Amino acid sequence: MTEHPATASPGRPTAYSRVTLSKIMTAVDVNLYGTVHGGVLMKFVDDVAAAAAARHSGGTAVTAAIDEIVFSEAVRVGDLVHAYAQVNWAGQTSMEVGVRVTAERWDSAEGDPMRVATAYLAFVGVDVGGSPRMVPPVVPESAGDQRRYREAEIRRAHRLARRRAIQAHRGG
């Protein structure tokens, strides 16, 4: 299922792309329910994922799709939020970036940060003219990285199958 030909350039280890962004959520980030708006977290996820994709690809990378984003806990004003991203898989021009978002409650110094969201995004490396360009393959380093790589291939296959099925349904 890997897109890279046998003569591809050497890959980059998973750790090469890892990026962390942190932000304290403020009153401008809240929705009508008094919790941080999902759209604020989505932008934060896209920002950290873009940084990981650019780092891995060695240049500009643009968001092509958000495969999935799951919000598991509400984030409140004052929470310190951390977003962790890494490239899980790369093809010839595209990459999947996985993102995990955690939060530390502002009113409690005890307890571990809680997971508040996870997401998977597809990025494409682009050149100065905006055309797709080659990106290096990913070299998984740990058992967890290998698992994420295999799961990314499954998500990619599903995304492509869904696209083909919709195009077939539309008649072309």
Side-chain angles (χ1 to χ4, degrees):
M1 156 92 33
T2 303
E3 284 182 32
H4 284 285
T7 60
S9 63
R12 292 198 171 132
T14 308
Y16 187 86
S17 69
R18 288 187 186 132
V19 175
T20 303
L21 293 180
S22 299
K23 179 182 178 186
I24 296 174
M25 295 295 153
T26 66
V28 299
D29 299 318
V30 298
N31 58 28
L32 296 174
Y33 303 107
T35 57
V36 172
H37 195 285
V40 170
L41 293 175
M42 289 173 72
K43 182 183 182 319
F44 195 47
V45 163
D46 192 40
D47 287 345
V48 72
R55 179 179 281 177
H56 176 81
S57 69
T60 303
V62 295
T63 310
I66 297 178
D67 270 358
E68 178 178 307
I69 186 162
V70 175
F71 299 105
S72 50
E73 291 286 337
V75 177
R76 304 180 311 206
V77 169
D79 288 353
L80 177 58
V81 178
H82 309 282
Y84 307 92
Q86 74 174 37
V87 174
N88 292 331
W89 175 90
Q92 289 184 18
T93 61
S94 64
M95 301 160 275
E96 182 198 88
V97 180
V99 178
R100 177 175 46 93
V101 182
T102 65
E104 297 176 43
R105 295 294 189 206
W106 68 271
D107 57 354
S108 174
E110 297 178 17
D112 294 329
M114 70 179 113
R115 184 173 294 201
V116 296
T118 55
Y120 299 99
L121 299 86
F123 279 79
V124 174
V126 295
D127 62 20
V128 176
S131 297
R133 64 178 173 80
M134 298 291 285
V135 299
V138 171
V139 179
E141 300 172 280
S142 68
D145 292 339
Q146 291 169 358
R147 176 187 54 78
R148 284 185 282 278
Y149 185 93
R150 288 190 306 274
E151 291 171 357
E153 288 188 314
I154 293 167
R155 281 186 290 275
R156 179 176 184 272
H158 285 211
R159 187 172 54 253
L160 295 175
R162 182 177 61 240
R163 182 183 306 153
R164 283 191 301 272
I166 290 170
Q167 287 172 342
H169 176 72
R170 292 179 179 171

